[in-house]
Amino acid sequence: MSEKVIATADDIRRALTRVAHEILERNRGADNLVLVGMLTRGAPLAQRLADIIASLENIRPQVGNLDIGLYRDDLSLRDTQPVIHRTDIPTDISDKKVILVDDVLFTGRSIRAAMDALIDLGRPQLVQLAVLVDRGHRELPIRADYIGKNIPTALSEQIEVRLKEIDGKDEVVIITEGRGQA
Amino acid sequence: MRPMVQREGAPPLSETIPEISTSVWKHNHILDLDDFTREEIELIFVITDGMKEILSREIKRAPTLRGKTVVTIFFEPSTRTRASFELAARALTADVLNITASTSSIVKGESLLDTLRTIQALGADVLVMRHSQSGAPYLAARQVNMSVVNAGDGAHAHPSQALLDMYTMRSRLGHLEGRKVVIIGDILHSRVARSNIWGLSTMGAEVVVCGPPTLLPLYMNEDRAGGQLPRVTVESNADKAVEGADVVMALRLQLERQEKGLLPAVREYVRYYQITQERLARAKPGALVMHPGPVNEGIEVSPEVSHGANSVIEEQVTNGVAVRMALLYLLAGGKKH
């Protein structure tokens, strides 16, 4: 197994700053925005985006955490069941502009689950998707509205996003099985 | 570029999102808490937190157990346990089938095993079972390939009740390690007490059992214990027992089991063992008062205590549904092994 860093802490910071600007531009400010981070690594990313937005607009959008475990379509296929964590969104999302935030967009199945989970909580005015990394290989008709970094990958490769809040440091790595092949 | 604004006073993520994996979970059945590890119980608590959020919604439902069938079969009367399991299963979108022994073919003489095989043939994934015979759910677990949950067997065990009791303590007290829990009442006939003793000991709490000497089983006495149960303190004086307690748990006086003459008079029991304001004053300030229900009004707990500020009796009922959702999820929510 070989591991290669494809985004450093600085790269991540710049990408998030750009995504925050794009969110504000597209939604004409931060009014009525709610950032919902998908557990686990979407949660700190949503907090960081809210912090950047606060530094630009003098208003910090509300931030929540969403657990999608109960909504997954692969529960009977996975070797280890996901732990269910507490969904915690401090506001009614009805009629809000909800920005779903996740670390990696891959098959799109987690996003499908997240949308089902969100709809069970209320009827947002709109839902947009922000991801730090889009690695391709969609299995559902889903795309992101905001992408930190496009990273074309082979199916055999793994992308790992590491974040200070959870992993002690910020980086994105690509992990290749075996050696020399990608 | 401006530096990122750091949030003041936000808790670290590891506190909001506990780090735990379902790989610690080893159970196909939930029969008693004697073979549960601390990690497994912690896992149940974490998932229960998640399930409570579902129950706080306007529409209390997630699609997790779609297509799964939960069967409850009760050979003894029950209101809250059965209703609680049923609500838990429905909140996870499982199909629920309730069989009441008194209206089923059991009255035609069908044996327990035949009944269980029939339920299995109907395609049940989880069987929730209450029986007056200790050990009946163990027999069921050996004979069928459904997951069996013991919802109370004789005077032996009632694991889901103990788990909801412990979850309620944890959500009020933060942790169970080192907490003093006093269980007062008919310990002899109590499956709730026995399962709580296992679970609480595993979680590092100190357990004191208290009741009239005739209702305190000899095997709980330290000298005679012989490894049947974890070590507990036995105290027949209620005033002494509640001294410095974090939790005072009253058991239901099982009036239907009192014809053996183990208790001279209910009035005497009330006088010496009822949890009153005066007795509770000996416990820690803010000590929790619990009761597994159904409460015999004015016997185990005085009315002003059972409806007072220390009482978490209603919270126990609410938490029960969330705990049972977590159990059903862990048993039936993943890959079939």
Side-chain angles (χ1 to χ4, degrees):
Chain A
M1 281 220 303
S2 68
E3 192 180 295
K4 194 175 134 205
V5 176
I6 44 176
T8 63
D10 280 339
D11 295 334
I12 291 173
R13 181 178 49 79
R14 290 186 194 109
L16 288 176
T17 308
R18 177 174 49 75
V19 166
H21 276 101
E22 286 176 8
I23 291 172
L24 290 171
E25 191 179 358
R26 172 94 77 95
N27 296 290
R28 301 193 172 168
D31 287 346
N32 222 19
L33 281 188
V34 181
L35 303 187
V36 174
M38 290 163 58
L39 292 173
T40 313
R41 283 177 181 69
L45 290 174
Q47 294 289 357
R48 291 191 199 181
L49 285 171
D51 291 337
I52 301 171
I53 288 171
S55 72
L56 299 167
E57 294 284 307
N58 290 323
I59 162 176
R60 191 175 193 277
Q62 290 196 286
V63 183
N65 297 337
L66 184 70
D67 187 283
I68 61 159
L70 295 171
Y71 292 83
R72 299 196 75 101
D73 62 2
D74 59 355
L75 285 172
S76 56
L77 305 171
R78 294 162 63 101
D79 285 325
T80 34
Q81 246 177 303
V83 175
I84 306 304
H85 292 290
R86 194 181 174 82
T87 288
D88 185 9
I89 300 178
T91 175
D92 181 0
I93 59 165
S94 294
D95 298 321
K96 299 280 174 25
K97 298 175 181 172
V98 173
I99 316 288
L100 266 180
V101 183
D102 203 3
D103 56 347
V104 180
L105 176 57
F106 183 24
T107 61
R109 287 178 191 267
S110 314
I111 307 302
R112 196 282 309 161
M115 286 195 283
D116 279 1
L118 266 186
I119 300 306
D120 273 4
L121 293 170
R123 185 180 182 280
Q125 182 193 334
L126 56 82
V127 180
Q128 297 168 349
L129 174 63
V131 297
L132 183 59
V133 174
D134 183 350
R135 63 164 294 189
H137 303 290
R138 219 74 78 235
E139 293 170 3
L140 292 172
I142 280 169
R143 61 167 182 76
D145 299 272
Y146 313 102
I147 300 168
K149 203 167 164 54
N150 271 302
I151 303 177
T153 57
L155 267 174
S156 61
E157 292 168 324
Q158 278 181 55
I159 294 281
E160 231 180 77
V161 171
R162 295 175 186 150
L163 298 174
K164 259 199 317 270
E165 296 89 333
I166 297 166
D167 312 289
K169 65 170 168 179
D170 280 356
E171 64 182 11
V172 180
V173 299
I174 186 161
I175 300 168
T176 313
E177 299 286 341
R179 79 176 53 171
Q181 297 175 350
Chain B
M1 195 63 54
R2 266 189 264 186
M4 264 174 34
V5 182
Q6 278 304 314
R7 281 169 308 130
E8 301 278 323
L13 203 66
S14 57
E15 272 176 37
T16 31
I17 307 161
E19 213 173 305
I20 193 158
S21 156
T22 53
S23 59
V24 302
W25 181 257
K26 303 291 180 216
H27 282 82
N28 285 323
H29 308 286
I30 297 167
L31 300 172
D32 195 2
L33 297 186
D34 56 349
D35 59 352
F36 272 66
T37 62
R38 194 184 272 226
E39 290 72 31
E40 283 177 297
I41 294 173
E42 280 295 345
L43 176 69
I44 293 168
F45 289 166
V46 168
I47 295 180
T48 301
D49 283 336
M51 297 303 183
K52 274 198 86 167
E53 185 273 324
I54 304 281
L55 294 174
S56 71
R57 297 179 187 175
E58 205 167 310
I59 300 165
K60 303 167 187 18
R61 181 155 294 198
T64 319
L65 296 185
R66 213 165 37 152
K68 301 284 166 78
T69 302
V70 174
V71 173
T72 70
I73 183 157
F74 278 60
F75 295 87
E76 267 188 351
S78 161
T79 313
R80 65 199 70 214
T81 304
R82 174 183 283 219
S84 181
F85 270 110
E86 184 172 346
L87 285 174
R90 288 185 194 284
L92 294 173
T93 323
D95 294 312
V96 188
L97 182 65
N98 294 314
I99 299 173
T100 307
S102 59
T103 57
S104 71
S105 286
I106 293 151
V107 293
K108 298 184 197 163
E110 187 177 48
S111 78
L112 176 60
L113 279 181
D114 282 342
T115 307
L116 296 175
R117 289 193 188 110
T118 305
I119 293 168
Q120 177 168 286
L122 290 170
D125 298 280
V126 180
L127 177 70
V128 178
M129 178 178 176
R130 169 169 290 186
H131 201 283
S132 54
Q133 295 290 320
S134 298
Y138 289 74
L139 174 75
R142 278 198 304 276
Q143 297 290 334
V144 299
N145 57 26
M146 307 172 271
S147 286
V148 177
V149 181
N150 181 1
D153 62 331
H156 174 241
H158 194 351
S160 65
Q161 177 71 43
L163 287 166
L164 76 87
D165 291 338
M166 292 195 291
Y167 177 81
T168 304
M169 294 176 210
R170 169 195 177 263
S171 61
R172 286 302 192 105
L173 302 172
H175 61 91
L176 299 177
E177 178 82 51
R179 301 294 188 183
K180 179 176 173 181
V181 180
V182 183
I183 306 176
I184 298 186
D186 180 356
I187 308 289
L188 182 64
H189 295 109
S190 178
R191 52 195 177 208
V192 175
R194 298 174 51 91
S195 286
N196 263 298
I197 288 171
W198 280 114
L200 286 166
S201 303
T202 301
M203 299 312 284
E206 179 202 345
V207 182
V208 178
V209 296
C210 175
T214 46
L215 297 177
L216 283 173
L218 280 174
Y219 61 76
M220 285 197 190
N221 209 307
E222 286 173 50
D223 314 328
R224 306 234 201 161
Q228 285 190 57
L229 272 180
R231 181 175 276 262
V232 297
T233 306
V234 181
E235 173 58 65
S236 57
N237 181 319
D239 287 334
K240 279 193 200 158
V242 300
E243 207 76 59
D246 295 282
V247 178
V248 181
M249 182 190 297
L251 300 172
R252 183 174 70 92
L253 193 62
Q254 304 188 34
L255 298 169
E256 69 273 20
R257 297 194 215 252
Q258 299 309 337
E259 62 269 20
K260 285 181 225 153
L262 294 171
L263 203 64
V266 171
R267 271 185 61 196
E268 187 180 301
Y269 180 87
V270 169
R271 180 160 164 213
Y272 289 106
Y273 295 99
Q274 186 183 66
I275 299 168
T276 56
Q277 295 284 21
E278 301 78 64
R279 253 181 207 125
L280 191 58
R282 295 167 174 270
K284 284 212 184 110
L288 307 179
V289 173
M290 305 180 73
H291 191 297
V295 177
N296 291 310
E297 279 295 331
I299 297 183
E300 300 98 0
V301 186
S302 74
E304 69 269 22
V305 171
S306 96
H307 303 291
N310 297 57
S311 168
V312 292
I313 296 173
E314 274 174 38
E315 209 172 305
Q316 286 174 271
V317 179
T318 322
N319 287 338
V321 180
V323 165
R324 288 168 176 127
M325 286 170 75
L327 297 180
L328 293 176
Y329 170 73
L330 284 163
L331 290 176
K335 199 173 178 174
K336 279 227 169 187
H337 291 288

